Every structure is written in structure tokens, then in C-alpha cells.
């Protein structure tokens, strides 16, 4: 199939329906656009899974509040600093501080203090991305002033009806609040990342095409998306018999990455751990069709088994230095360079900011 110059919704759906064997033109075009616009360079963000305490109950997530089988933890300041130092010394350029959603003043202040500590050890040279759920304008401003400059908040699905099937029906889990929260991030001066899960129960190809168009309409700077993977301790598990096979969820994710690179040539696109969880070289495959960001896990090993959003998550036993060497090899194996010591800001943000 020839890839149309402008991708409208019906063209996107048609491409998403292609068998993988027929996707070479799509993948080759996405690879060419990546090379031309952002280059064959991958930027690293050390991922610190700071705490698995969460006030929410998303139906798909293994660390949801009501899952009593999870041992809850929060890293100490020293542990966060050690991890940040490791990222800095390894030339990672930036880190992501991720945790469940907690919105108490005590929590906001704690994060502010941690941001200040990280900036001290790294002389303000380490880029800092937050992934801490929906927060108030005051809290976001406080963290921005303390040195965080990027924020990830996935929309999870752009279809409001599907969103409500994936979340409890209370006021904490409303689609409209999620939309407002993403807008607030844009208005608060952050570089904004969002994303979706792919292959969710009840999700259609039309939904996925809408997700891609949603990203473009929202004009975001970064996207992280990956296959939905079931977790037996969650309510969504009862729908597992309706799911696509894992391999097909992976293939759909690969097509989504390639299509997104064509739709938004200058944004940052992550090769996600969920892709790696299904396919042993899933991240490398994503890099070859348009992804340009990888998030090596630098959480202390003793906590990793307690941060299982889904089953069989990759890199659970490996220490940070093992992931470092492993990832470097993997990225070089697909002829990409590593953007050592660079923040690797999305070109899109710089353009939008100007
Ligand atoms: N499968 C895949 N991704 C998941 N996430 C949460 N649960 C799952 C799951 N079961 C993703 C969500 C969330 C991100 C931190 O992890 O998209 O935003
Ligand atoms: Fe909490 Fe995020 Fe999991 Fe939802 S997806 S339960 S907000 S950690
Ligand atoms: Fe973690 Fe390979 S990236 S072990």
C-alpha cells in the first residue's frame, strides 16, 4: 500500500488493519521521517518509581489502591538522590520521577524538597520529568519553580465512553478532569507528554485512530504509549477472554508508533517497557519505526517487584547498571546513537514555545 501524504482517519484505520507483513512501506516511511527530522538519536530518561502509594483505583492497574496484595513503599530521600546521581554520572541527561497519584499538601512539599535536592546534586544539569498524576495548579506551579520542566499524564484513551469503562464511576476518575489536567499542564509551562494503552478490552481501531488525532489536536510534545497487559489482581482481568493475543497488541503498538511519527514528525516518542515486555526486542523495533526516547529503570531493585502495573514487566531483577549496559547495546544494535548528557527536549516544544 502507498502511504497517503495526508493521513485522515479512514487512512489511519486502514493502515492499522494491515497485517504486519504488509507494513514495510509504513515502517520505512516512518524511519525516514524520524531520520530526517529528529535524527537517529535516542535520548535516555532514568525512570525512578518513587512510590507505589496511590489514591486511585483504575481498573487496569496492578498498584490500584484496593489491591491489598501490593506491599506499599516510598523511596527515602537518600535513595532518590543516589538514583539521580547514578543517572547524572551515567550521562542520562534526565530523569523521570513517577509514582501513584497522591494529592495532599504533605506530599507536594515532599516532592518539592526532593526536586531541590536533585538539583543540588546535579547542579541543575539533570532534566526532570514528573509523572505524578492529576494535581492542582498551585502544586504544579510549585514543582515547576522547584525545577521540574516536563510532565507525563496519559489520557489512557481519548474515547470518553471507553474511559468510563476503565475507571470507577466516582468524581476522582472523570474523563473531563483528565482533559482539564492535561490542559493545565500546558498552561503551567511544562513540556507535556500524554499517551494511551493499546489493545484494551472494548477498544476499536477507530478509537486508536482517534487517539492519534487527539494527540495532534492537543499539540503535545511527547507521547508514551504501549500495549495493555492484563494483571490478575484488577477488575479488568475478568474481560481477558475478549483481548487480542499479546503479539497482536504488540504489532498494533508498533503501527501506532510509526503512524504517530508521520503525524507529528518533531515530537518525542517513547519506546515503552510494555512493548519490551511482550517482545524481547520490542523497544528496538519501536526505535526502528520512529521512537526516540527510552526510559531505563533506575529504581532500587528491592522495590521493582512492588511496582507492577501489569504482569511479567521487563527489567524486574536487573540492577540499574545492568539495564544501562543492556540498553546501550540494544540501541546501538539498531544503528541509533545515544544522546548522552542531553536533556533531549522535544523539538516540538521549542517550536511551540517560540
Ligand atoms: N497495562 C499497560 N499499561 C498500564 N498502565 C497502567 N496499567 C497498565 C496495564 N495493565 C500504564 C497507564 C499509566 C502508566 C503509568 O502505566 O497508561 O498511565
Ligand atoms: Fe494509580 Fe496511575 Fe495505577 Fe491509576 S494507573 S491506579 S492513578 S498508579
Ligand atoms: Fe533492563 Fe535490558 S534494559 S535488563
Amino acid at each position: 500500500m502507498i502511504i497517503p501524504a495526508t493521513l485522515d482517519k479512514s487512512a489511519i484505520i486502514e493502515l492499522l488493519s494491515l497485517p504486519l507483513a504488509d507494513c514495510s512501506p509504513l515502517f520505512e516511511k516512518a524511519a525516514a521521517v524520524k531520520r530526517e527530522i529528529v535524527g537517529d538519536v535516542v535520548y535516555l530518561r532514568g525512570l525512578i518509581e518513587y512510590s507505589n502509594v496511590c489514591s486511585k483505583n483504575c481498573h487496569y492497574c496492578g498498584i490500584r489502591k484496593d489491591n491489598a496484595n501490593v506491599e506499599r513503599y516510598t523511596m527515602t530521600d537518600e535513595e532518590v538522590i543516589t538514583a539521580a546521581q547514578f543517572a547524572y554520572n551515567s550521562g542520562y541527561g534526565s530523569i523521570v520521577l513517577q509514582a501513584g497519584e497522591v494529592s495532599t499538601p504533605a506530599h507536594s512539599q515532599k516532592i518539592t524538597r526532593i526536586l531541590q535536592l536533585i538539583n543540588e546534586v546535579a547542579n541543575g544539569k539533570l532534566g526532570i520529568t514528573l509523572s505524578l498524576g492529576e494535581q492542582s495548579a498551585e502544586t504544579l506551579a510549585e514543582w515547576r519553580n522547584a525545577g521540574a520542566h516536563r510532565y507525563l499524564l496519559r489520557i489512557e484513551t481519548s474515547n470518553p465512553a471507553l474511559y468510563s469503562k476503565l475507571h470507577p464511576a466516582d468524581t476522582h476518575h472523570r474523563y473531563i478532569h483528565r482533559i482539564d489536567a492535561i490542559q493545565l499542564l500546558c498552561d503551567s509551562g511544562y513540556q507535556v507528554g500524554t499517551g494511551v494503552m493499546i489493545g484494551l478490552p472494548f477498544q476499536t481501531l477507530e478509537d486508536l485512530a482517534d487517539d492519534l488525532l487527539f494527540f495532534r489536536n492537543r499539540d503535545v510534545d511527547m507521547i508514551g504509549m504501549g500495549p495493555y497487559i492484563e494483571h490478575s489482581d484488577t477488575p479488568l482481568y475478568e474481560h481477558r477472554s475478549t483481548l487480542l493475543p499479546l503479539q497482536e497488541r504488540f504489532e498494533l503498538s508498533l503501527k501506532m508508533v510509526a503512524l504517530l511519527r508521520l503525524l507529528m514528525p518533531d515530537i518525542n516518542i517513547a519506546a515503552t517497557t510494555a512493548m519490551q515486555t511482550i517482545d524481547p526486542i520490542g523497544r528496538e523495533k519501536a526505535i526502528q519505526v520512529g521512537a526516540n526516547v527510552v526510559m531505563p529503570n533506575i529504581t532500587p531493585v528491592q522495590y521493582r517487584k512492588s511496582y507492577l502495573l501489569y504482569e511479567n514487566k521487563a527489567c524486574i531483577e536487573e540492577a540499574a547498571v545492568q539495564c544501562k549496559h543492556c540498553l546501550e547495546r540494544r540501541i546501538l544494535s539498531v544503528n541509533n546513537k545515544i544522546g548522552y548528557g542531553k536533556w533531549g527536549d522535544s523539538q516540538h516544544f521549542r517550536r511551540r514555545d517560540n
Side-chain angles (χ1 to χ4, degrees), residues 27-90:
F27 292 161
E28 280 160 22
K29 188 161 177 189
V33 168
K34 174 184 163 182
R35 185 168 303 129
E36 183 194 333
I37 307 293
V38 294
D40 282 335
V41 182
V42 171
Y43 297 101
L44 302 178
R45 285 90 175 79
L47 175 64
I48 304 175
E49 293 157 336
Y50 168 65
S51 170
N52 64 358
V53 176
C54 187
S55 64
K56 281 185 142 175
N57 258 317
C58 307
H59 290 331
Y60 42 84
C61 176
I63 64 168
R64 60 200 300 276
K65 177 171 160 230
D66 287 353
N67 184 3
N69 298 331
V70 175
E71 200 182 316
R72 302 290 164 174
Y73 73 87
T74 298
M75 286 170 63
T76 64
D77 288 2
E78 292 71 36
E79 286 168 334
V80 178
I81 299 310
T82 304
Q85 190 96 58
F86 174 84
Y88 184 59
N89 294 341
S90 304

Side-chain angles (χ1 to χ4, degrees), residues 276 283 315 318 322-323 326-327 330:
Q276 155 93 355
R283 282 177 303 193
C315 304
E318 285 79 4
Q322 288 171 287
C323 283
C326 169
L327 259 183
R330 286 165 179 271

Side-chain angles (χ1 to χ4, degrees), residues 56-235:
K56 281 185 142 175
N57 258 317
C58 307
H59 290 331
Y60 42 84
C61 176
I63 64 168
R64 60 200 300 276
K65 177 171 160 230
D66 287 353
N67 184 3
N69 298 331
V70 175
E71 200 182 316
R72 302 290 164 174
Y73 73 87
T74 298
M75 286 170 63
T76 64
D77 288 2
E78 292 71 36
E79 286 168 334
V80 178
I81 299 310
T82 304
Q85 190 96 58
F86 174 84
Y88 184 59
N89 294 341
S90 304
Y92 281 3
S94 67
I95 55 167
V96 179
L97 198 63
Q98 187 176 73
E101 185 173 309
V102 176
S103 15
T104 60
H107 178 256
S108 311
Q109 287 157 19
K110 204 165 170 190
I111 298 292
T112 301
R113 196 187 62 235
I114 285 177
L115 290 170
Q116 289 160 346
L117 289 173
I118 293 172
N119 273 324
E120 271 170 39
V121 296
N123 290 322
K125 292 205 180 99
L126 204 52
I128 307 178
T129 306
L130 299 177
S131 176
L132 301 169
E134 296 170 33
Q135 299 289 345
S136 69
E138 294 70 36
T139 297
L140 292 177
E142 182 177 318
W143 293 344
R144 182 83 186 80
N145 290 332
H149 60 113
R150 299 193 276 238
Y151 205 106
L152 308 176
L153 187 69
R154 289 186 177 181
I155 185 69
E156 313 296 0
T157 170
S158 64
N159 176 342
L162 178 55
Y163 190 95
S164 65
K165 288 198 186 105
L166 303 175
H167 297 92
D170 58 36
T171 51
H172 286 120
H173 296 83
R174 292 236 176 102
Y175 178 81
I176 189 70
H177 291 167
R178 198 75 171 176
I179 295 278
D180 290 347
I182 293 172
Q183 187 57 47
L184 188 56
L185 290 170
C186 295
D187 298 341
S188 307
Y190 286 91
Q191 287 176 53
V192 180
T194 188
V196 293
M197 286 172 285
I198 297 162
L200 287 159
F202 322 113
Q203 192 180 42
T204 63
L205 292 185
E206 184 177 359
D207 290 331
L208 291 172
D210 283 334
D211 289 341
L212 292 172
L213 296 170
F214 171 91
F215 301 151
R216 196 175 55 180
N217 292 340
R218 287 268 147 188
D219 202 24
V220 294
D221 308 298
M222 315 175 278
I223 293 292
M225 54 187 177
Y228 163 71
I229 302 173
E230 54 272 44
H231 189 300
S232 57
D233 288 334
T234 61

